[in-house]
Amino acid sequence: MKALISILIFLTTTLVATAQNANDILKKMDEVLYAPKDMTAKTKIIITDKNGNEKTREAVMKQKGTDMRLFRFTAPASQAGIATLSLPNDVMYLYLPSYAKERRISSSVKSQKFAGTDFSYDDMEAKSYEDKYTAKLLKTEGDVYVLEMKPRSPKSQYSKLISKINKENYYPVYTEYYDKGNNKIKIATYVFEKIGNYWNPKEVTMTDLKKKHKTTMITYDVKYDTGLSDEDFSVRKLKQ
Amino acid sequence: MKTTSISLLSSFFLFLATAFISAQEEETKIKFSGELKTDQRFLYQSPNSWAWNENRLTFRLSKKFRNDKGKFHTEVWLRNIGLPEITTSSDLYNKGIVDPYNLEIREAYVQLYGFLSKNLDIKIGRQRIAWGTADLINPTDNLNPYDLEDVLDFGRHRGSDAISFDYYFTPSFSLHGTYIPIFQPANMPVGVFADALSPEIVLPPPYHLENLNDNIDMPKYTLGESSTAGIKLKGFAAGIDLSLSYVWGRDGFPTPSYNTISPGDNPGGLNLDIQSTYFRQSIFGFDMATSIAGVGLWAEAAGFLPEKEQVMTTDMTPMFPGSPVPVTRDSIVLKKEMFFKYVIGADYNFANGMYLNVQFLHGFVNERGRENLNDYFFIQYEKRFFDDRLKTEPLQGAFIVSDWNNVKDNYALIYSPEISFMATDNAEITISSAIFAGKGNNPFAKFADYDMFLFGFKYSF
């Protein structure tokens, strides 16, 4: 009987410790990814189809905290000027220069592909992982932790994510995305570089396994902590 | 005196703006962009008449001032539109007839951010002031004149020469104001839809219309007569975008005020002279937009209150030459009572790339008065393929009811499926159809003979 109690205590302690570790890792990853108060950057998006044909999009991006982002396309000409503003509580606006006004967009757009890329609006969302997912530590291997992350929201297009997190610096290096049928549908790989005190995801590649299609997002001219205010993430700025 | 006031006011603002601009060291480069667009349509019905021919070159120039203190922006259309209408050999000497084209300044303005106060933005010049949260058809969007040239291009407006401002109390709570010194009427449809929005003139037998003349009394170009002004309070609370607005302006469509009927040269023939004016009105607006459970929702309403009762006098004195007194009859065209136009709509993005948008509209752009507003149901279903390069809209159109007591004789149906393909990043080919059916006195029911094929090509640069 004592042995059984000991095993139960051991198992419970281990499970709690594992869950806590996983959530701690997730929290630390958020702290690394969202450490800067704000960020301004240029982005080059290269979309490659299964035949190797490439298309390029360019944009400028501003971000503050974990839930404010302004993304404005600068190329190609057919998309230049189109901008999206993401605010807390799934409030999103789209600005199309030809309509001369902003348009509130429904949060169902989050499951859609972002501007023809392999990223969905959901993937592009600047929201902390801890807020979006519950985590379980599957294992540690080499210099990474392997986490299973399940969406907190039932509306998510994914059933789970399996992510490899760098043990030393807590940035993600690899993520698998699973659909509601538990099929692996996308893979993301990351290349981080250190700019000042912060780790910057200078290159993120998302591959759609079914379509054999990939998108590489390269971030450059990155500036951190320039003092962006909430006003910089307003409809006023979106229309400018 | 009033003209002088307008000039002084304009000069004052221009002076302030010029002083402000010169204070900025403009360092950004001018951005040049645009589109080449062709739009060709022919009727399905034999002999397949050409319904539309438009080749449009859009030029846009914009320049941002240093430190995002403002911008200059202009958009110009250079178009070859319409079909050559050559009737005599002398027309062949007129290049404007042989090869019809026009140049249109859609927008040309300077916008200054943080002008005098960090919370104030002003915009001076020709500008589009787009109001409303609904999709394409906005009952509250009444500052710019309607551009109804292409009646299938719902919601298009021309720019107005105006001064406007936005004052931001907080990032999500603002006050907008616009002053437009010169009244601009709506321009009417051209091509096969030229008569689409004109009221039908029906005479009792044995009379028939022999000649029709019309005159329009434009408002005098004075501060009080030709001005339009608008104000809008806009905010965001509890996840909902809301606004309240007011416009003091003139209706953009001419309203008949005095008709003279005289005998024609033939038995039963009548000549009709119509005199029209643009009446003044107040427009009270409201709109909202939000997203609930992933569904985008919006509503927009405008209450139109004519300043005076609109009375049409029909003078039949020439028909009764022996009458010692004028023979006239007055009829009320529009009562001095508020009538409401409104839109409610919703949209949803499905996970597999499908998009659905539905709207209900009460009162189209040309409809006036409580008893004359029709009901419109719009639907747009979209599905994208091949990494968004191919966009299909197999279900797109509208159902219109002009009399709920007798729907089968008072309806219209528009079905306009469309396919567009991005051949390259900047080149888009579009083919579509517009199929019309209907009965009754509804503008779209009159289009039943105009089923057409549409081809479009757009290259952005």
Side-chain angles (χ1 to χ4, degrees), chain B residues 282-297:
Chain B
S282 290
I283 307 167
F284 302 87
F286 159 81
D287 65 42
M288 60 78 66
T290 189
S291 176
I292 297 173
V295 180
L297 296 166

Side-chain angles (χ1 to χ4, degrees), chain B residues 382-407:
Chain B
E382 181 184 304
K383 176 95 170 87
R384 291 171 185 256
F385 301 92
F386 308 126
D387 308 320
D388 291 355
R389 289 178 70 190
L390 180 69
K391 186 174 85 174
T392 61
E393 290 169 294
L395 184 58
Q396 181 170 250
F399 180 63
I400 301 141
V401 178
S402 47
D403 183 356
W404 283 101
N405 295 320
N406 184 11
V407 175

